[in-house]
Amino acid sequence: MAFARLNLFVSFALALSQVANAGLVKRVTCSTGHVTANAACCALFPIVDTLQAGLFDGAECGEEAHSALRIAFHDAIGFSLKGTAMLGGADGSILVFNKTETSFHANGGIDDIVDSQFPFFQQTGLSAGDFIHLAAAVGTANCPGAPRLKFFLGRPPPKAAAPDLTVPEPTDSVTAILARFADAGFSPREVVALLSSHTIAAADVVDVTIPGTPFDSTPHHFDGNFFLEVLLKGRLFPGAGPQTGEVLSPIAGEMRLQSDFAISQDSRTACFWQDMINDQTRIMTEFGAAMAKLQVLGQNTKNLIDCSDVVPVPVAMDGTVKIPASFTSKDIQVACAAQPFPKLATRTGPAPTVPPM
């Protein structure tokens, strides 16, 4: 009994010590008045303010915020664990070698993002990789319901453009998409997590006649509506089809990518997809973790400084998902046989119409 009491005392003392040490983490007060864990991060606060006021139109969850997230993904995914063909990863090569990388078919529309971001990049003095991935974290933070993404400072300048055919496309098969992600170190579950980004995204060049078409009915909120609405019975665009990767959602003004629907139905990913539908905590946690991994691909993290506390804190929301008005559970194409589909209420009112972003 004495030994048991001693163990209990030691455990309690250790817990108290850990709490005390947590309060002793050094904090630095910058000249701007901001507080951070590392003095090297102080220079980022004015940059964040400039991005919010200029690039993101006063901290909006709009076109530029979703574009910042898109270019960060297209930049980072040019990486291979094999370490031969693809070396760069999250290095900003898509900004520095933009004439090369924006000519790739999968990067259609990235040239517009480069044009928007390049003047701000030139003002900051950051490396291209640091700028792209800071902008992605800040832009995403403007969207209610989003996780607070991490940001690490200190990426060196890129050495070369990423090779072509490193970015998955809407016309690719699920097998091809999962293989490309696996080559960069991501599991099927992490692929689904990264697709959470489509909840605040829109298509600009999948069909150039309807630019800015959102992928869900709440494109200014980071929530699970995307995962539900992809499952609604859709219809092809007139004159379009698998060759373009576009499928119309039955919700007016909304687009569903062929690849998103295929991943939602595939046995390797369908249950992961279903898990995300009405679990805001899961979406935030799993997307945040997958992005933290994506944003340092190809980097030596021992040489990076954690400046995550410069990223604004997103507005919280409960993320409760409901079946869109005028639809029922019979309109949902359930593909996960291993577990029951979540019970969802239905929105009231007229059938939704989603305006372009």
Side-chain angles (χ1 to χ4, degrees), residues 209-228:
T209 67
I210 48 171
T213 305
F215 295 140
D216 80 359
S217 60
T218 53
H220 302 291
H221 295 83
F222 199 99
D223 57 30
N225 281 310
F226 162 72
F227 289 101
L228 171 64

Side-chain angles (χ1 to χ4, degrees), residues 101-123:
E101 294 195 32
T102 58
S103 68
F104 302 159
H105 185 269
N107 288 339
I110 293 290
D111 53 336
D112 291 337
I113 306 173
V114 170
D115 290 343
S116 296
Q117 291 195 356
F118 209 84
F120 292 94
F121 161 58
Q122 290 181 308
Q123 295 173 30

